[in-house]
Amino acid sequence: MFICFYFFFFFKQKTAYEIYQCDWSSDVCSSDLVENNSTKVKKVKLQVLSIDGKVLFTKEKKHFNKQCGYGSFGGYDDNCIFYLYGEAPQFPYIIDFEYTVECKSLFYLTGETFQHYIPVDSVSFTVNSTDGTIIHSKLYGSDALPIISDYNGITSYQWVLNNIPALESIKYLPPDAREEIHLSLVCEQLSFGGYTLPEVSWYGIGMWYNELYQSKCNTVPLQESFSMEEIYNNVIENVRYVAIEIGVGGFQPYDAALTESRAFGDCKDMSTLLVSRLHNQDITAYPVLVLTRDNGRIDPDFPNLGFNHAITVAIEGNDTTWMDPTCNSCTYGELPSGDEDIDVLVVTEEGGVLRRTPASKPKDNQILRNTSLYIAADKTVHVSCQIKMFGNLGRSMRGRLDSKTKNERREYLESYINGNESLFDLSTFSFENMDDINEPFIMHIEAKGIKKVDKIGKKWYINPYLFFREKNITKVKTSDRKYPINFSYPYQVIDSITIQIDTSLQVDSVKFIKPDTIETSFNFFATKAKQVDNLFYCIVTKDLKTYQVNPDQFLEYEMYYQRLKKITSKYIKLYTH
């Protein structure tokens, strides 16, 4: 239940969860219990009951652990989280969870999630307004309507939902593909920290944030002239991401001059610094409010404050450039995958404007692999591979390897070259441009085959599809699937394979794989081969054209993988004496 009283808001939620096969210390018992300088947890009560309603044990606020001061991305905020862990009783059982929180402002209440990965028997959520505040709401994933009543000058909005099914764990699910049951809220004349939302619209939210950041855009103009690229590079190279968010600081940036002098800040601090420096060069630039791709999507029809990130957009002549100064592995003009192809709110002096960030193309995220397979006199296979990675693929690999030890890197690269089989022993490996983001990330791998070349009678069989072997192709089951398949971003792979046979091995003739092509609405795959003297060349190209495959493309998806399986199961055949 949510109760509003004078300048304070009290909210209370009571939810019953029926547990069949998971620990009772699920996230539903802790994730919403946040306390800070403006929000106080007044009461917590958790009861665990048997399926017939017998109370097994009760936990109150004093039994919960409390952790304060640590933000989610390496920084400090004034939030304290209440959480609880414990041994699960015998299944099945019921969790009855109730809490009351006092708030100074509904600024912190942007909504509530009602559906989890365990079933919910019932949930009641109420907002009471005592001062005539108009509350806008939208319930997703359910057609339940609020029960609205007036009593003694209090307007009450109540949502009651029963028998909410558990969310199904689905692989490769796009974050915005499934409407989980959740409520979004926003209030008219919402005020906090001396700043008031002028109206509930994207225009109004933009005006509100413009007021928050304008006075903070205050770096000292530079005496020299710099390009946008030089300014962007200076910020990502010299300012570290560290978040310190207290009170309205969750939305309002620090002074750009302060961020500049201490060389750290969070996303909105770094975005404001970048905007300020661009303004000093007479370049039009704006901060941009973002809900990153992995956290869902902005609903264009329901303006609210559900953002989790800030970036920058600059306009120079007819060119628009999007920049994320927190991405120190992104070159000028690149965005990380979480910022790509999403609706965002550009904050201008005239208010907020919804725009869509650019999508990446397959060639933006590219792998170029040059692989040499040498068949030695003893018929063992020696592999030498150079792998160049660009865009999101390069950033992903840099990040994956950067934190690993040498042994962990070796294990990872062995799995990279072997996939789900054990065909090669890794001999050596090295990297280039680990820290130079303006160049492609390059890996060098040397490996030796565990087994000798496959031979049946007088025929040797060589599989040129080193990285497209049938057992290593991931295919998502579509027969009962109703959601799109998520691929994160478009990409391109070009494999150039050279096969050389030791001159001591006598080969009478060769049967090549035939050129073949598969093209669909979402993918492209092609292969071709040729021989020059005792060298055999094979080129494989794969383009993933889109971020996801939709259910109406599943038949095409199945046909594509049937063809791919057929193509990649073919070998080069060498006929010997």
Side-chain angles (χ1 to χ4, degrees):
M1 183 174 291
F2 211 41
I3 304 171
C4 171
F5 180 71
Y6 296 111
F7 297 105
F8 288 85
F9 300 87
F10 294 87
F11 63 90
K12 176 180 177 183
Q13 178 171 322
K14 185 171 183 179
T15 311
Y17 306 94
E18 191 165 340
I19 314 296
Y20 291 97
Q21 54 183 6
C22 63
D23 189 349
W24 66 269
S25 59
S26 168
D27 65 333
V28 295
C29 298
S30 60
S31 62
D32 291 318
L33 298 181
V34 177
E35 183 176 86
N36 53 44
N37 291 334
S38 302
T39 303
K40 301 297 179 186
V41 176
K42 305 296 288 185
K43 176 184 176 182
V44 182
K45 184 178 179 181
L46 181 146
Q47 284 191 324
V48 176
L49 304 90
S50 64
I51 200 67
D52 58 2
K54 179 182 177 181
V55 177
L56 301 178
F57 58 82
T58 301
K59 300 289 184 180
E60 297 181 350
K61 180 180 177 181
K62 63 183 179 181
H63 300 119
F64 278 66
N65 299 301
K66 183 179 179 181
Q67 179 175 320
C68 301
Y70 297 95
S72 57
F73 287 100
Y76 176 84
D77 59 28
D78 62 344
N79 288 332
C80 295
I81 306 296
F82 287 84
Y83 64 95
L84 184 66
Y85 295 106
E87 295 180 2
Q90 183 176 355
F91 298 120
Y93 58 92
I94 295 171
I95 290 178
D96 197 350
F97 189 45
E98 179 181 348
Y99 60 89
T100 303
V101 177
E102 175 188 88
C103 297
K104 291 181 180 178
S105 170
L106 284 177
F107 175 86
Y108 280 106
L109 187 71
T110 58
E112 187 71 18
T113 298
F114 301 138
Q115 191 172 21
H116 303 274
Y117 284 94
I118 55 177
V120 177
D121 284 351
S122 62
V123 62
S124 174
F125 188 83
T126 305
V127 179
N128 290 338
S129 172
T130 62
D131 58 0
T133 299
I134 298 174
I135 299 172
H136 297 260
S137 67
K138 187 170 183 177
L139 183 63
Y140 298 84
S142 170
D143 56 4
L145 298 174
I147 303 169
I148 303 175
S149 60
D150 290 288
Y151 180 75
N152 287 340
I154 298 175
T155 302
S156 175
Y157 305 78
Q158 184 183 36
W159 290 263
V160 177
L161 294 90
N162 298 301
N163 301 317
I164 300 175
L167 290 172
E168 183 183 356
S169 180
I170 302 174
K171 292 183 177 180
Y172 302 100
L173 181 69
D176 62 347
R178 174 173 60 187
E179 275 203 342
E180 301 167 1
I181 299 175
H182 69 281
L183 179 68
S184 287
L185 296 170
V186 65
C187 296
E188 291 192 6
Q189 297 300 311
L190 183 63
S191 181
F192 187 68
Y195 298 90
T196 301
L197 187 68
E199 66 176 62
V200 178
S201 65
W202 293 121
Y203 161 83
I205 292 173
M207 290 298 293
W208 168 77
Y209 190 78
N210 183 66
E211 184 182 5
L212 280 176
Y213 106 95
Q214 248 332 325
S215 63
K216 307 297 182 178
C217 205
N218 55 8
T219 53
V220 177
L222 301 173
Q223 300 302 313
E224 302 176 60
S225 179
F226 294 93
S227 68
M228 275 205 295
E229 183 172 0
E230 289 172 325
I231 295 170
Y232 168 79
N233 287 336
N234 183 270
V235 172
I236 68 168
E237 290 169 5
N238 296 294
V239 182
R240 293 173 296 132
Y241 183 96
V242 177
I244 301 177
E245 301 175 347
I246 299 174
V248 75
F251 271 96
Q252 186 176 45
Y254 286 94
D255 287 344
L258 178 61
T259 301
E260 183 177 55
S261 65
R262 65 186 183 183
F264 70 80
D266 65 6
C267 58
K268 59 188 177 295
D269 300 326
M270 297 173 74
S271 174
T272 301
L273 173 60
L274 182 55
V275 169
S276 179
R277 287 185 173 178
L278 291 169
H279 285 178
N280 289 338
Q281 299 287 314
D282 295 323
I283 298 171
T284 301
Y286 305 105
V288 181
L289 300 181
V290 175
L291 179 64
T292 51
R293 170 181 285 275
D294 56 342
N295 280 277
R297 63 178 177 85
I298 288 177
D299 181 355
D301 299 324
F302 189 77
N304 65 7
L305 301 177
F307 303 102
N308 68 342
H309 192 39
I311 62 174
T312 301
V313 64
I315 301 171
E316 196 170 33
N318 294 323
D319 296 328
T320 300
T321 304
W322 301 84
M323 295 166 278
D324 187 336
T326 68
C327 182
N328 59 8
S329 60
C330 292
T331 59
Y332 172 71
E334 286 186 329
L335 289 176
S337 59
D339 298 348
E340 292 180 0
D341 195 33
I342 57 174
D343 289 325
V344 296
L345 188 68
V346 178
V347 177
T348 75
E349 296 86 350
E350 289 78 33
V353 181
L354 282 182
R355 290 291 183 264
R356 195 163 187 89
T357 59
S360 60
K361 302 177 181 62
K363 287 187 178 180
D364 296 329
N365 309 305
Q366 190 180 56
I367 294 180
L368 300 178
R369 286 190 290 240
N370 287 288
T371 305
S372 295
L373 301 179
Y374 174 67
I375 314 301
D378 62 356
K379 303 181 183 64
T380 57
V381 180
H382 297 259
V383 179
S384 178
C385 188
Q386 181 197 72
I387 306 163
K388 291 184 179 181
M389 297 184 171
F390 302 79
N392 286 316
L393 291 168
R395 283 191 288 276
S396 175
M397 187 61 76
R398 278 189 176 101
R400 185 175 287 115
L401 294 173
D402 185 54
S403 60
K404 294 184 182 295
T405 65
K406 185 174 181 179
N407 286 337
E408 288 172 338
R409 290 177 174 181
R410 172 178 288 276
E411 290 175 4
Y412 176 78
L413 293 176
E414 281 183 339
S415 67
Y416 180 86
I417 197 169
N418 280 307
N420 297 319
E421 302 175 89
S422 295
L423 301 178
F424 301 98
D425 282 329
L426 188 65
S427 304
T428 63
F429 64 90
S430 62
F431 310 125
E432 291 183 48
N433 307 325
M434 178 66 87
D435 299 315
D436 187 354
I437 65 170
N438 294 303
E439 297 294 333
F441 178 60
I442 302 176
M443 301 192 302
H444 299 275
I445 297 175
E446 305 281 341
K448 181 180 179 181
I450 296 173
K451 299 178 181 179
K452 296 184 178 182
V453 176
D454 291 334
K455 184 178 181 182
I456 299 177
K458 294 184 177 182
K459 287 185 288 188
W460 296 346
Y461 293 83
I462 300 175
N463 185 349
Y465 303 106
L466 184 62
F467 296 99
F468 288 99
R469 298 189 301 276
E470 180 184 342
K471 291 184 180 180
N472 298 323
I473 295 174
T474 301
K475 178 185 171 298
V476 180
K477 183 180 177 182
T478 62
S479 56
D480 300 318
R481 190 181 180 99
K482 58 181 180 180
Y483 297 108
I485 301 169
N486 182 30
F487 290 110
S488 298
Y489 45 79
Y491 64 84
Q492 180 183 74
V493 179
I494 299 177
D495 270 347
S496 299
I497 303 106
T498 302
I499 303 171
Q500 183 177 12
I501 301 172
D502 190 273
T503 55
S504 65
L505 300 175
Q506 299 297 316
V507 177
D508 293 334
S509 61
V510 178
K511 184 177 181 180
F512 275 108
I513 54 176
K514 295 180 179 180
D516 211 336
T517 300
I518 316 171
E519 185 157 16
T520 70
S521 59
F522 61 88
N523 214 341
F524 173 83
F525 185 90
T527 181
K528 58 184 179 180
K530 66 177 181 178
Q531 179 182 2
V532 179
D533 298 327
N534 68 330
L535 295 177
F536 309 99
Y537 299 95
C538 183
I539 297 177
V540 180
T541 302
K542 177 184 177 181
D543 283 13
L544 178 66
K545 305 175 187 177
T546 185
Y547 286 82
Q548 63 185 41
V549 174
N550 297 316
D552 60 0
Q553 298 171 300
F554 283 174
L555 179 60
E556 194 177 15
Y557 177 85
E558 291 292 334
M559 294 172 61
Y560 167 79
Y561 273 97
Q562 288 177 13
R563 289 281 313 279
L564 183 63
K565 180 179 178 180
K566 184 176 180 180
I567 291 173
T568 56
S569 64
K570 295 178 180 179
Y571 285 63
I572 295 176
K573 298 175 185 178
L574 308 179
Y575 294 85
T576 63
H577 294 304

